[in-house]
Amino acid sequence: MRRDDVLIGGSWRPVSSTTDVVNPADGSVVGTTALATRHDVDAAVAAAGSALPAWSELTPGERAAHLDRLVEVLEGDAERLVDLTVAEVGAPITTVRRWHVHAALDVLRSAADHARLLAHERRGSAVLLRRATGVAALVTPWNYPLFQLATKLGPALAAGCTVVHKPSELTPLSAYAVAEAALVAGLPAGVLNLVPGTGADVGAPLVAHPGVGVVSFTGSTEVGRQVAGAAVTNLARVSLELGGKSSSIVTDDVDLEHAVRATVESCMLNSGQTCSALTRLLVPADRLDDAVRIAGAHADAMAVGDPTDPDTELGPLVSAAQLERVDALVAAAVARGAHVATRRTETPAVGHYRRPVVLSGLAPDDPASCEEIFGPVLVVHGTRDDDHAVSVANATRYGLSGAVWCDDDDRAFAIAARLQTGQVLVNDAEFSVESPFGGWKHSGFGRELGPEALHEFTELTTVQF
Ligand code: NAD
């Protein structure tokens, strides 16, 4: 896909600067994208502002019908979305079909359903009106570009906001496809505006723009802090979905092999470039050796290679810079005495590939155990009992996700309820697009998914009778 334009007010407008989009699997150029400027941001925010009154005054049911049509068009184009995402992210096609494309469609469908349920609430003699906050700035990263756009776009449109989207400059192609689909679906002009470009030239002026009423950002904790600062300057509402370092807690009564293998799979999904990945495995100390052996063997058995092959489990990392960063963090952990439980290291000759690695023998406060690596790296620790496991799990600056493997639901619940994190999966529970998702501490604030997601894009007016 070769694009040199931005979508503003329902029209594609060419810009003077572009950059290549590169396939991380083989270095080939798979497209070009516009590099917009702050002038484009100004025009996009103005267009979104002009479209806001009419869009926010539609009934929730009318907005839901628009979302339904958008889903219909995207569904018809699902295989192209899969191909574009595989090409720009390098994620395996099987992962992309399920967790990038179909999950994104599910999120949009769910947002339409939640729009239909939006209703004024009576409380005693008062009526609480939930109304669109204003123009929404959506800033998304590269790791699940389509899914992350859906988690913001669905609820923003459902709530009655109009939108300006800034995708990652590494993965803008799926965002173009969504914008094209919005036009085909007949979304009114200016309701969705797309301004691809860099964080400095587009992201920063967008989140600091006085015409923006709400900022929804997904990305790194460091950039999230800057985004929050910029939004606060305008007293814009802001929600941040940031990094994570989530623990998988295994108790003494559960099938160790099953729990460990499932944790390895969660950790390595999307080559470890998943904010909610279970990257720390906490097992009872007397099961540590077995857990390390099982995790190492399972990671070594995973298929790393061509992302277009349906049997591939891990594709490349997204960029050379990301690969170098992960390699350096693993090397530093090994230099500090980490034991490497995985044996295989060979990778395809071309592309930013890395085999998954399992580390043990580190202190729980080692940087490799506490800081987000965002690559296929699992760290295993032994714990004394449930209390110790909870305290190790909570001893990071993040709090996004987590898991508990335990045969006793009451005990699992007691552990889960003490974790400072936005989500806990018990045993084989799966991530659900119906459940609110978001962080504590440096993983951010605000919630995506579920009806709570719409609350991020609305304000309450109390009408007291
Ligand atoms: P990043 O923070 O570098 O960039 C995210 C987005 O922000 C990109 O579109 C980027 O261009 C833009 N940006 C950069 N500087 C900006 C600025 N000053 N103002 C406004 N926008 C700016 O993150 P990334 O490297 O693209 O993504 C990886 C990170 O995202 C990881 O840390 C990961 O944990 C996190 N993440 C979190 C979640 C979640 O839901 N919590 C989901 C996915 C990714």
mmCIF file with all atom_site columns, all heavy atoms in Angstrom, residues 139-143 148 166 169 203 217-220 223 226 241-243 275 372 374, ligand 1:
data_model
loop_
_atom_site.group_PDB
_atom_site.id
_atom_site.type_symbol
_atom_site.label_atom_id
_atom_site.label_alt_id
_atom_site.label_comp_id
_atom_site.label_asym_id
_atom_site.label_entity_id
_atom_site.label_seq_id
_atom_site.pdbx_PDB_ins_code
_atom_site.Cartn_x
_atom_site.Cartn_y
_atom_site.Cartn_z
_atom_site.occupancy
_atom_site.B_iso_or_equiv
_atom_site.pdbx_formal_charge
_atom_site.auth_seq_id
_atom_site.auth_comp_id
_atom_site.auth_asym_id
_atom_site.auth_atom_id
_atom_site.pdbx_PDB_model_num
ATOM   1   N N   . VAL A 1 139 ? -3.815 7.926  20.039 1.00 0.00 ? 139 VAL A N   1
ATOM   2   C CA  . VAL A 1 139 ? -2.412 7.682  19.666 1.00 0.00 ? 139 VAL A CA  1
ATOM   3   C C   . VAL A 1 139 ? -2.102 6.221  19.958 1.00 0.00 ? 139 VAL A C   1
ATOM   4   O O   . VAL A 1 139 ? -2.270 5.753  21.086 1.00 0.00 ? 139 VAL A O   1
ATOM   5   C CB  . VAL A 1 139 ? -1.459 8.605  20.451 1.00 0.00 ? 139 VAL A CB  1
ATOM   6   C CG1 . VAL A 1 139 ? -0.005 8.336  20.048 1.00 0.00 ? 139 VAL A CG1 1
ATOM   7   C CG2 . VAL A 1 139 ? -1.815 10.067 20.211 1.00 0.00 ? 139 VAL A CG2 1
ATOM   8   N N   . THR A 1 140 ? -1.670 5.498  18.914 1.00 0.00 ? 140 THR A N   1
ATOM   9   C CA  . THR A 1 140 ? -1.504 4.039  19.056 1.00 0.00 ? 140 THR A CA  1
ATOM   10  C C   . THR A 1 140 ? -0.076 3.602  18.733 1.00 0.00 ? 140 THR A C   1
ATOM   11  O O   . THR A 1 140 ? 0.619  4.257  17.947 1.00 0.00 ? 140 THR A O   1
ATOM   12  C CB  . THR A 1 140 ? -2.497 3.305  18.122 1.00 0.00 ? 140 THR A CB  1
ATOM   13  O OG1 . THR A 1 140 ? -2.399 3.853  16.810 1.00 0.00 ? 140 THR A OG1 1
ATOM   14  C CG2 . THR A 1 140 ? -3.921 3.439  18.626 1.00 0.00 ? 140 THR A CG2 1
ATOM   15  N N   . PRO A 1 141 ? 0.364  2.457  19.316 1.00 0.00 ? 141 PRO A N   1
ATOM   16  C CA  . PRO A 1 141 ? 1.708  1.939  19.081 1.00 0.00 ? 141 PRO A CA  1
ATOM   17  C C   . PRO A 1 141 ? 1.710  0.899  17.949 1.00 0.00 ? 141 PRO A C   1
ATOM   18  O O   . PRO A 1 141 ? 0.696  0.706  17.267 1.00 0.00 ? 141 PRO A O   1
ATOM   19  C CB  . PRO A 1 141 ? 2.049  1.295  20.422 1.00 0.00 ? 141 PRO A CB  1
ATOM   20  C CG  . PRO A 1 141 ? 0.745  0.750  20.886 1.00 0.00 ? 141 PRO A CG  1
ATOM   21  C CD  . PRO A 1 141 ? -0.326 1.652  20.342 1.00 0.00 ? 141 PRO A CD  1
ATOM   22  N N   . TRP A 1 142 ? 2.835  0.192  17.816 1.00 0.00 ? 142 TRP A N   1
ATOM   23  C CA  . TRP A 1 142 ? 3.018  -0.692 16.660 1.00 0.00 ? 142 TRP A CA  1
ATOM   24  C C   . TRP A 1 142 ? 2.716  -2.162 16.956 1.00 0.00 ? 142 TRP A C   1
ATOM   25  O O   . TRP A 1 142 ? 2.695  -2.966 16.035 1.00 0.00 ? 142 TRP A O   1
ATOM   26  C CB  . TRP A 1 142 ? 4.468  -0.598 16.151 1.00 0.00 ? 142 TRP A CB  1
ATOM   27  C CG  . TRP A 1 142 ? 5.511  -0.632 17.243 1.00 0.00 ? 142 TRP A CG  1
ATOM   28  C CD1 . TRP A 1 142 ? 6.167  0.451  17.763 1.00 0.00 ? 142 TRP A CD1 1
ATOM   29  C CD2 . TRP A 1 142 ? 5.985  -1.774 17.962 1.00 0.00 ? 142 TRP A CD2 1
ATOM   30  N NE1 . TRP A 1 142 ? 7.034  0.049  18.763 1.00 0.00 ? 142 TRP A NE1 1
ATOM   31  C CE2 . TRP A 1 142 ? 6.935  -1.313 18.908 1.00 0.00 ? 142 TRP A CE2 1
ATOM   32  C CE3 . TRP A 1 142 ? 5.718  -3.147 17.917 1.00 0.00 ? 142 TRP A CE3 1
ATOM   33  C CZ2 . TRP A 1 142 ? 7.607  -2.168 19.793 1.00 0.00 ? 142 TRP A CZ2 1
ATOM   34  C CZ3 . TRP A 1 142 ? 6.383  -3.991 18.805 1.00 0.00 ? 142 TRP A CZ3 1
ATOM   35  C CH2 . TRP A 1 142 ? 7.310  -3.500 19.724 1.00 0.00 ? 142 TRP A CH2 1
ATOM   36  N N   . ASN A 1 143 ? 2.518  -2.536 18.204 1.00 0.00 ? 143 ASN A N   1
ATOM   37  C CA  . ASN A 1 143 ? 2.539  -3.987 18.477 1.00 0.00 ? 143 ASN A CA  1
ATOM   38  C C   . ASN A 1 143 ? 1.238  -4.710 18.110 1.00 0.00 ? 143 ASN A C   1
ATOM   39  O O   . ASN A 1 143 ? 1.285  -5.852 17.670 1.00 0.00 ? 143 ASN A O   1
ATOM   40  C CB  . ASN A 1 143 ? 2.978  -4.268 19.916 1.00 0.00 ? 143 ASN A CB  1
ATOM   41  C CG  . ASN A 1 143 ? 2.133  -3.590 20.944 1.00 0.00 ? 143 ASN A CG  1
ATOM   42  O OD1 . ASN A 1 143 ? 1.543  -2.545 20.670 1.00 0.00 ? 143 ASN A OD1 1
ATOM   43  N ND2 . ASN A 1 143 ? 2.047  -4.153 22.119 1.00 0.00 ? 143 ASN A ND2 1
ATOM   44  N N   . GLN A 1 148 ? -5.459 -2.136 18.840 1.00 0.00 ? 148 GLN A N   1
ATOM   45  C CA  . GLN A 1 148 ? -5.391 -0.964 19.721 1.00 0.00 ? 148 GLN A CA  1
ATOM   46  C C   . GLN A 1 148 ? -6.202 0.198  19.169 1.00 0.00 ? 148 GLN A C   1
ATOM   47  O O   . GLN A 1 148 ? -6.811 0.950  19.935 1.00 0.00 ? 148 GLN A O   1
ATOM   48  C CB  . GLN A 1 148 ? -3.930 -0.569 19.949 1.00 0.00 ? 148 GLN A CB  1
ATOM   49  C CG  . GLN A 1 148 ? -3.298 -1.506 20.962 1.00 0.00 ? 148 GLN A CG  1
ATOM   50  C CD  . GLN A 1 148 ? -1.842 -1.777 20.695 1.00 0.00 ? 148 GLN A CD  1
ATOM   51  O OE1 . GLN A 1 148 ? -1.297 -1.414 19.663 1.00 0.00 ? 148 GLN A OE1 1
ATOM   52  N NE2 . GLN A 1 148 ? -1.203 -2.433 21.642 1.00 0.00 ? 148 GLN A NE2 1
ATOM   53  N N   . LYS A 1 166 ? -3.560 9.059  15.339 1.00 0.00 ? 166 LYS A N   1
ATOM   54  C CA  . LYS A 1 166 ? -2.138 9.076  14.976 1.00 0.00 ? 166 LYS A CA  1
ATOM   55  C C   . LYS A 1 166 ? -1.592 7.672  15.238 1.00 0.00 ? 166 LYS A C   1
ATOM   56  O O   . LYS A 1 166 ? -1.345 7.287  16.375 1.00 0.00 ? 166 LYS A O   1
ATOM   57  C CB  . LYS A 1 166 ? -1.401 10.102 15.854 1.00 0.00 ? 166 LYS A CB  1
ATOM   58  C CG  . LYS A 1 166 ? -0.138 10.645 15.262 1.00 0.00 ? 166 LYS A CG  1
ATOM   59  C CD  . LYS A 1 166 ? 1.027  9.747  15.163 1.00 0.00 ? 166 LYS A CD  1
ATOM   60  C CE  . LYS A 1 166 ? 1.926  9.377  16.237 1.00 0.00 ? 166 LYS A CE  1
ATOM   61  N NZ  . LYS A 1 166 ? 2.962  8.424  15.758 1.00 0.00 ? 166 LYS A NZ  1
ATOM   62  N N   . GLU A 1 169 ? 4.379  5.268  13.338 1.00 0.00 ? 169 GLU A N   1
ATOM   63  C CA  . GLU A 1 169 ? 4.966  5.426  11.993 1.00 0.00 ? 169 GLU A CA  1
ATOM   64  C C   . GLU A 1 169 ? 5.501  4.094  11.465 1.00 0.00 ? 169 GLU A C   1
ATOM   65  O O   . GLU A 1 169 ? 5.708  3.935  10.266 1.00 0.00 ? 169 GLU A O   1
ATOM   66  C CB  . GLU A 1 169 ? 6.070  6.494  11.992 1.00 0.00 ? 169 GLU A CB  1
ATOM   67  C CG  . GLU A 1 169 ? 7.180  6.311  13.007 1.00 0.00 ? 169 GLU A CG  1
ATOM   68  C CD  . GLU A 1 169 ? 6.878  6.923  14.383 1.00 0.00 ? 169 GLU A CD  1
ATOM   69  O OE1 . GLU A 1 169 ? 5.730  6.789  14.874 1.00 0.00 ? 169 GLU A OE1 1
ATOM   70  O OE2 . GLU A 1 169 ? 7.803  7.510  14.962 1.00 0.00 ? 169 GLU A OE2 1
ATOM   71  N N   . GLY A 1 203 ? 2.300  13.367 17.023 1.00 0.00 ? 203 GLY A N   1
ATOM   72  C CA  . GLY A 1 203 ? 1.769  12.936 18.319 1.00 0.00 ? 203 GLY A CA  1
ATOM   73  C C   . GLY A 1 203 ? 1.793  14.065 19.341 1.00 0.00 ? 203 GLY A C   1
ATOM   74  O O   . GLY A 1 203 ? 0.765  14.371 19.975 1.00 0.00 ? 203 GLY A O   1
ATOM   75  N N   . PHE A 1 217 ? -4.180 7.237  24.873 1.00 0.00 ? 217 PHE A N   1
ATOM   76  C CA  . PHE A 1 217 ? -2.825 6.899  24.425 1.00 0.00 ? 217 PHE A CA  1
ATOM   77  C C   . PHE A 1 217 ? -2.487 5.473  24.820 1.00 0.00 ? 217 PHE A C   1
ATOM   78  O O   . PHE A 1 217 ? -2.733 5.054  25.951 1.00 0.00 ? 217 PHE A O   1
ATOM   79  C CB  . PHE A 1 217 ? -1.825 7.862  25.088 1.00 0.00 ? 217 PHE A CB  1
ATOM   80  C CG  . PHE A 1 217 ? -0.375 7.489  24.861 1.00 0.00 ? 217 PHE A CG  1
ATOM   81  C CD1 . PHE A 1 217 ? 0.278  7.862  23.693 1.00 0.00 ? 217 PHE A CD1 1
ATOM   82  C CD2 . PHE A 1 217 ? 0.328  6.756  25.808 1.00 0.00 ? 217 PHE A CD2 1
ATOM   83  C CE1 . PHE A 1 217 ? 1.609  7.513  23.478 1.00 0.00 ? 217 PHE A CE1 1
ATOM   84  C CE2 . PHE A 1 217 ? 1.655  6.396  25.603 1.00 0.00 ? 217 PHE A CE2 1
ATOM   85  C CZ  . PHE A 1 217 ? 2.302  6.773  24.435 1.00 0.00 ? 217 PHE A CZ  1
ATOM   86  N N   . THR A 1 218 ? -1.887 4.727  23.906 1.00 0.00 ? 218 THR A N   1
ATOM   87  C CA  . THR A 1 218 ? -1.277 3.444  24.240 1.00 0.00 ? 218 THR A CA  1
ATOM   88  C C   . THR A 1 218 ? 0.163  3.486  23.769 1.00 0.00 ? 218 THR A C   1
ATOM   89  O O   . THR A 1 218 ? 0.440  3.841  22.616 1.00 0.00 ? 218 THR A O   1
ATOM   90  C CB  . THR A 1 218 ? -2.010 2.275  23.563 1.00 0.00 ? 218 THR A CB  1
ATOM   91  O OG1 . THR A 1 218 ? -3.342 2.230  24.070 1.00 0.00 ? 218 THR A OG1 1
ATOM   92  C CG2 . THR A 1 218 ? -1.337 0.950  23.884 1.00 0.00 ? 218 THR A CG2 1
ATOM   93  N N   . GLY A 1 219 ? 1.064  3.122  24.666 1.00 0.00 ? 219 GLY A N   1
ATOM   94  C CA  . GLY A 1 219 ? 2.476  3.143  24.303 1.00 0.00 ? 219 GLY A CA  1
ATOM   95  C C   . GLY A 1 219 ? 3.326  2.950  25.532 1.00 0.00 ? 219 GLY A C   1
ATOM   96  O O   . GLY A 1 219 ? 2.893  2.359  26.526 1.00 0.00 ? 219 GLY A O   1
ATOM   97  N N   . SER A 1 220 ? 4.534  3.471  25.479 1.00 0.00 ? 220 SER A N   1
ATOM   98  C CA  . SER A 1 220 ? 5.485  3.234  26.570 1.00 0.00 ? 220 SER A CA  1
ATOM   99  C C   . SER A 1 220 ? 5.176  4.141  27.760 1.00 0.00 ? 220 SER A C   1
ATOM   100 O O   . SER A 1 220 ? 4.572  5.213  27.612 1.00 0.00 ? 220 SER A O   1
ATOM   101 C CB  . SER A 1 220 ? 6.895  3.502  26.065 1.00 0.00 ? 220 SER A CB  1
ATOM   102 O OG  . SER A 1 220 ? 6.996  4.850  25.631 1.00 0.00 ? 220 SER A OG  1
ATOM   103 N N   . VAL A 1 223 ? 6.803  7.742  27.301 1.00 0.00 ? 223 VAL A N   1
ATOM   104 C CA  . VAL A 1 223 ? 6.052  8.684  26.448 1.00 0.00 ? 223 VAL A CA  1
ATOM   105 C C   . VAL A 1 223 ? 4.696  8.996  27.093 1.00 0.00 ? 223 VAL A C   1
ATOM   106 O O   . VAL A 1 223 ? 4.222  10.136 27.038 1.00 0.00 ? 223 VAL A O   1
ATOM   107 C CB  . VAL A 1 223 ? 5.882  8.128  25.012 1.00 0.00 ? 223 VAL A CB  1
ATOM   108 C CG1 . VAL A 1 223 ? 4.996  9.046  24.174 1.00 0.00 ? 223 VAL A CG1 1
ATOM   109 C CG2 . VAL A 1 223 ? 7.241  7.967  24.339 1.00 0.00 ? 223 VAL A CG2 1
ATOM   110 N N   . GLN A 1 226 ? 4.836  11.975 29.256 1.00 0.00 ? 226 GLN A N   1
ATOM   111 C CA  . GLN A 1 226 ? 4.845  13.256 28.504 1.00 0.00 ? 226 GLN A CA  1
ATOM   112 C C   . GLN A 1 226 ? 3.445  13.579 27.978 1.00 0.00 ? 226 GLN A C   1
ATOM   113 O O   . GLN A 1 226 ? 3.019  14.729 27.998 1.00 0.00 ? 226 GLN A O   1
ATOM   114 C CB  . GLN A 1 226 ? 5.789  13.157 27.307 1.00 0.00 ? 226 GLN A CB  1
ATOM   115 C CG  . GLN A 1 226 ? 7.248  12.973 27.663 1.00 0.00 ? 226 GLN A CG  1
ATOM   116 C CD  . GLN A 1 226 ? 8.081  12.628 26.420 1.00 0.00 ? 226 GLN A CD  1
ATOM   117 O OE1 . GLN A 1 226 ? 7.816  13.111 25.324 1.00 0.00 ? 226 GLN A OE1 1
ATOM   118 N NE2 . GLN A 1 226 ? 9.078  11.788 26.586 1.00 0.00 ? 226 GLN A NE2 1
ATOM   119 N N   . GLU A 1 241 ? -2.694 3.642  28.408 1.00 0.00 ? 241 GLU A N   1
ATOM   120 C CA  . GLU A 1 241 ? -2.445 2.196  28.475 1.00 0.00 ? 241 GLU A CA  1
ATOM   121 C C   . GLU A 1 241 ? -0.957 2.023  28.216 1.00 0.00 ? 241 GLU A C   1
ATOM   122 O O   . GLU A 1 241 ? -0.500 2.193  27.083 1.00 0.00 ? 241 GLU A O   1
ATOM   123 C CB  . GLU A 1 241 ? -3.251 1.455  27.395 1.00 0.00 ? 241 GLU A CB  1
ATOM   124 C CG  . GLU A 1 241 ? -4.749 1.608  27.513 1.00 0.00 ? 241 GLU A CG  1
ATOM   125 C CD  . GLU A 1 241 ? -5.318 0.861  28.696 1.00 0.00 ? 241 GLU A CD  1
ATOM   126 O OE1 . GLU A 1 241 ? -4.638 -0.021 29.244 1.00 0.00 ? 241 GLU A OE1 1
ATOM   127 O OE2 . GLU A 1 241 ? -6.455 1.171  29.080 1.00 0.00 ? 241 GLU A OE2 1
ATOM   128 N N   . LEU A 1 242 ? -0.209 1.676  29.257 1.00 0.00 ? 242 LEU A N   1
ATOM   129 C CA  . LEU A 1 242 ? 1.256  1.728  29.141 1.00 0.00 ? 242 LEU A CA  1
ATOM   130 C C   . LEU A 1 242 ? 1.883  0.342  29.252 1.00 0.00 ? 242 LEU A C   1
ATOM   131 O O   . LEU A 1 242 ? 1.264  -0.653 28.912 1.00 0.00 ? 242 LEU A O   1
ATOM   132 C CB  . LEU A 1 242 ? 1.796  2.704  30.181 1.00 0.00 ? 242 LEU A CB  1
ATOM   133 C CG  . LEU A 1 242 ? 1.113  4.092  30.151 1.00 0.00 ? 242 LEU A CG  1
ATOM   134 C CD1 . LEU A 1 242 ? 1.613  4.980  31.251 1.00 0.00 ? 242 LEU A CD1 1
ATOM   135 C CD2 . LEU A 1 242 ? 1.286  4.761  28.794 1.00 0.00 ? 242 LEU A CD2 1
ATOM   136 N N   . GLY A 1 243 ? 3.102  0.297  29.734 1.00 0.00 ? 243 GLY A N   1
ATOM   137 C CA  . GLY A 1 243 ? 3.825  -0.975 29.756 1.00 0.00 ? 243 GLY A CA  1
ATOM   138 C C   . GLY A 1 243 ? 3.339  -1.928 30.833 1.00 0.00 ? 243 GLY A C   1
ATOM   139 O O   . GLY A 1 243 ? 2.452  -1.599 31.624 1.00 0.00 ? 243 GLY A O   1
ATOM   140 N N   . CYS A 1 275 ? 1.669  -6.005 25.734 1.00 0.00 ? 275 CYS A N   1
ATOM   141 C CA  . CYS A 1 275 ? 1.780  -5.286 27.014 1.00 0.00 ? 275 CYS A CA  1
ATOM   142 C C   . CYS A 1 275 ? 1.324  -6.145 28.180 1.00 0.00 ? 275 CYS A C   1
ATOM   143 O O   . CYS A 1 275 ? 1.857  -6.042 29.279 1.00 0.00 ? 275 CYS A O   1
ATOM   144 C CB  . CYS A 1 275 ? 0.963  -4.009 26.937 1.00 0.00 ? 275 CYS A CB  1
ATOM   145 S SG  . CYS A 1 275 ? -0.698 -4.313 26.360 1.00 0.00 ? 275 CYS A SG  1
ATOM   146 N N   . GLU A 1 372 ? 10.003 -3.851 31.942 1.00 0.00 ? 372 GLU A N   1
ATOM   147 C CA  . GLU A 1 372 ? 9.445  -4.424 30.721 1.00 0.00 ? 372 GLU A CA  1
ATOM   148 C C   . GLU A 1 372 ? 10.553 -4.592 29.672 1.00 0.00 ? 372 GLU A C   1
ATOM   149 O O   . GLU A 1 372 ? 11.310 -3.660 29.407 1.00 0.00 ? 372 GLU A O   1
ATOM   150 C CB  . GLU A 1 372 ? 8.374  -3.485 30.181 1.00 0.00 ? 372 GLU A CB  1
ATOM   151 C CG  . GLU A 1 372 ? 7.675  -4.040 28.960 1.00 0.00 ? 372 GLU A CG  1
ATOM   152 C CD  . GLU A 1 372 ? 6.603  -3.099 28.452 1.00 0.00 ? 372 GLU A CD  1
ATOM   153 O OE1 . GLU A 1 372 ? 6.924  -1.935 28.165 1.00 0.00 ? 372 GLU A OE1 1
ATOM   154 O OE2 . GLU A 1 372 ? 5.452  -3.541 28.343 1.00 0.00 ? 372 GLU A OE2 1
ATOM   155 N N   . PHE A 1 374 ? 9.749  -6.313 26.548 1.00 0.00 ? 374 PHE A N   1
ATOM   156 C CA  . PHE A 1 374 ? 8.986  -6.250 25.296 1.00 0.00 ? 374 PHE A CA  1
ATOM   157 C C   . PHE A 1 374 ? 9.640  -7.093 24.205 1.00 0.00 ? 374 PHE A C   1
ATOM   158 O O   . PHE A 1 374 ? 9.796  -6.675 23.059 1.00 0.00 ? 374 PHE A O   1
ATOM   159 C CB  . PHE A 1 374 ? 8.790  -4.796 24.847 1.00 0.00 ? 374 PHE A CB  1
ATOM   160 C CG  . PHE A 1 374 ? 7.371  -4.507 24.441 1.00 0.00 ? 374 PHE A CG  1
ATOM   161 C CD1 . PHE A 1 374 ? 6.325  -4.822 25.285 1.00 0.00 ? 374 PHE A CD1 1
ATOM   162 C CD2 . PHE A 1 374 ? 7.076  -3.943 23.206 1.00 0.00 ? 374 PHE A CD2 1
ATOM   163 C CE1 . PHE A 1 374 ? 5.005  -4.574 24.915 1.00 0.00 ? 374 PHE A CE1 1
ATOM   164 C CE2 . PHE A 1 374 ? 5.774  -3.694 22.816 1.00 0.00 ? 374 PHE A CE2 1
ATOM   165 C CZ  . PHE A 1 374 ? 4.737  -4.014 23.692 1.00 0.00 ? 374 PHE A CZ  1
HETATM 166 P P1  . NAD B 2 .   ? 5.910  4.615  22.164 1.00 0.00 ? 1   NAD B P1  1
HETATM 167 O O1  . NAD B 2 .   ? 5.513  5.147  23.480 1.00 0.00 ? 1   NAD B O1  1
HETATM 168 O O2  . NAD B 2 .   ? 7.265  4.906  21.659 1.00 0.00 ? 1   NAD B O2  1
HETATM 169 O O3  . NAD B 2 .   ? 4.940  5.180  21.018 1.00 0.00 ? 1   NAD B O3  1
HETATM 170 C C1  . NAD B 2 .   ? 3.542  5.029  21.074 1.00 0.00 ? 1   NAD B C1  1
HETATM 171 C C2  . NAD B 2 .   ? 2.910  6.047  20.155 1.00 0.00 ? 1   NAD B C2  1
HETATM 172 O O4  . NAD B 2 .   ? 3.148  7.361  20.676 1.00 0.00 ? 1   NAD B O4  1
HETATM 173 C C3  . NAD B 2 .   ? 3.466  6.057  18.728 1.00 0.00 ? 1   NAD B C3  1
HETATM 174 O O5  . NAD B 2 .   ? 2.422  6.323  17.835 1.00 0.00 ? 1   NAD B O5  1
HETATM 175 C C4  . NAD B 2 .   ? 4.455  7.209  18.767 1.00 0.00 ? 1   NAD B C4  1
HETATM 176 O O6  . NAD B 2 .   ? 4.736  7.775  17.514 1.00 0.00 ? 1   NAD B O6  1
HETATM 177 C C5  . NAD B 2 .   ? 3.723  8.188  19.669 1.00 0.00 ? 1   NAD B C5  1
HETATM 178 N N1  . NAD B 2 .   ? 4.560  9.186  20.337 1.00 0.00 ? 1   NAD B N1  1
HETATM 179 C C6  . NAD B 2 .   ? 5.900  9.164  20.560 1.00 0.00 ? 1   NAD B C6  1
HETATM 180 N N2  . NAD B 2 .   ? 6.283  10.258 21.225 1.00 0.00 ? 1   NAD B N2  1
HETATM 181 C C7  . NAD B 2 .   ? 5.167  11.003 21.425 1.00 0.00 ? 1   NAD B C7  1
HETATM 182 C C8  . NAD B 2 .   ? 4.903  12.233 22.096 1.00 0.00 ? 1   NAD B C8  1
HETATM 183 N N3  . NAD B 2 .   ? 5.878  12.943 22.663 1.00 0.00 ? 1   NAD B N3  1
HETATM 184 N N4  . NAD B 2 .   ? 3.641  12.674 22.148 1.00 0.00 ? 1   NAD B N4  1
HETATM 185 C C9  . NAD B 2 .   ? 2.644  11.962 21.611 1.00 0.00 ? 1   NAD B C9  1
HETATM 186 N N5  . NAD B 2 .   ? 2.818  10.793 20.962 1.00 0.00 ? 1   NAD B N5  1
HETATM 187 C C10 . NAD B 2 .   ? 4.068  10.315 20.877 1.00 0.00 ? 1   NAD B C10 1
HETATM 188 O O7  . NAD B 2 .   ? 5.581  3.081  22.219 1.00 0.00 ? 1   NAD B O7  1
HETATM 189 P P2  . NAD B 2 .   ? 5.840  1.974  21.117 1.00 0.00 ? 1   NAD B P2  1
HETATM 190 O O8  . NAD B 2 .   ? 7.301  1.698  21.120 1.00 0.00 ? 1   NAD B O8  1
HETATM 191 O O9  . NAD B 2 .   ? 5.177  2.322  19.846 1.00 0.00 ? 1   NAD B O9  1
HETATM 192 O O10 . NAD B 2 .   ? 5.013  0.730  21.736 1.00 0.00 ? 1   NAD B O10 1
HETATM 193 C C11 . NAD B 2 .   ? 5.531  -0.128 22.683 1.00 0.00 ? 1   NAD B C11 1
HETATM 194 C C12 . NAD B 2 .   ? 5.099  0.256  24.088 1.00 0.00 ? 1   NAD B C12 1
HETATM 195 O O11 . NAD B 2 .   ? 3.682  0.339  24.179 1.00 0.00 ? 1   NAD B O11 1
HETATM 196 C C13 . NAD B 2 .   ? 5.486  -0.788 25.119 1.00 0.00 ? 1   NAD B C13 1
HETATM 197 O O12 . NAD B 2 .   ? 6.050  -0.157 26.250 1.00 0.00 ? 1   NAD B O12 1
HETATM 198 C C14 . NAD B 2 .   ? 4.183  -1.445 25.499 1.00 0.00 ? 1   NAD B C14 1
HETATM 199 O O13 . NAD B 2 .   ? 4.119  -1.995 26.755 1.00 0.00 ? 1   NAD B O13 1
HETATM 200 C C15 . NAD B 2 .   ? 3.227  -0.355 25.337 1.00 0.00 ? 1   NAD B C15 1
HETATM 201 N N6  . NAD B 2 .   ? 1.886  -0.904 25.100 1.00 0.00 ? 1   NAD B N6  1
HETATM 202 C C16 . NAD B 2 .   ? 0.934  -0.850 26.075 1.00 0.00 ? 1   NAD B C16 1
HETATM 203 C C17 . NAD B 2 .   ? -0.323 -1.401 25.879 1.00 0.00 ? 1   NAD B C17 1
HETATM 204 C C18 . NAD B 2 .   ? -1.408 -1.362 26.922 1.00 0.00 ? 1   NAD B C18 1
HETATM 205 O O14 . NAD B 2 .   ? -2.555 -1.574 26.581 1.00 0.00 ? 1   NAD B O14 1
HETATM 206 N N7  . NAD B 2 .   ? -1.108 -1.096 28.155 1.00 0.00 ? 1   NAD B N7  1
HETATM 207 C C19 . NAD B 2 .   ? -0.621 -1.992 24.658 1.00 0.00 ? 1   NAD B C19 1
HETATM 208 C C20 . NAD B 2 .   ? 0.365  -2.029 23.705 1.00 0.00 ? 1   NAD B C20 1
HETATM 209 C C21 . NAD B 2 .   ? 1.608  -1.471 23.933 1.00 0.00 ? 1   NAD B C21 1
#
